[in-house]
Amino acid sequence: MDTNAFLSHITVTEEGCWLWGRNIMNKGYGRVTIAPGVRVLAHRFSYEHFIGPIPVGREIDHLCRRPPCVNPKHLDAVTHRENMLRGVGNGFQINKAKTHCPQGHAYIEPNVYRHEGR
């Protein structure tokens, strides 16, 4: 998809969000067809088109917290952990704030176990 075709499906808000106006998935994220049978998330397309490749191990965080926004100035390539910590109303933040288990043990190194890959 070329730049003009992409931009023709965007509505700009007062806050500067570029809201994707076509194919919106049930969680609010836009989807764009870049070739016959090839669809990608609109915010990822925008980041790669206007900024560059998404670094390995990174995902795109919406700084404006609006899933249909494709404004590259509102998109940041971050680790999954950083994306979850920045989230609003996320159980990850609630658990991050906990200092002790339900039995009263402190969450410190001798008392915790990390699963491989987390």
Side-chain angles (χ1 to χ4, degrees), residues 56-75:
V56 174
R58 300 295 172 118
E59 57 193 46
I60 302 302
D61 180 27
H62 288 82
L63 299 173
C64 59
R65 315 284 11 107
R66 297 180 83 175
C69 182
V70 295
N71 182 343
K73 292 180 181 176
H74 292 189
L75 305 174

Side-chain angles (χ1 to χ4, degrees), residues 34-56:
I34 58 173
V38 180
R39 292 185 219 142
V40 297
L41 293 172
H43 64 285
R44 292 177 61 87
F45 174 85
S46 182
Y47 186 94
E48 291 185 325
H49 185 76
F50 295 106
I51 295 175
I54 299 169
V56 174

Side-chain angles (χ1 to χ4, degrees), residues 61-94:
D61 180 27
H62 288 82
L63 299 173
C64 59
R65 315 284 11 107
R66 297 180 83 175
C69 182
V70 295
N71 182 343
K73 292 180 181 176
H74 292 189
L75 305 174
D76 191 19
V78 297
T79 64
H80 180 69
R81 178 176 173 76
E82 182 66 22
N83 198 3
M84 293 295 101
L85 289 172
R86 290 178 175 181
V88 177
N90 187 318
F92 190 82
Q93 288 180 326
I94 293 167

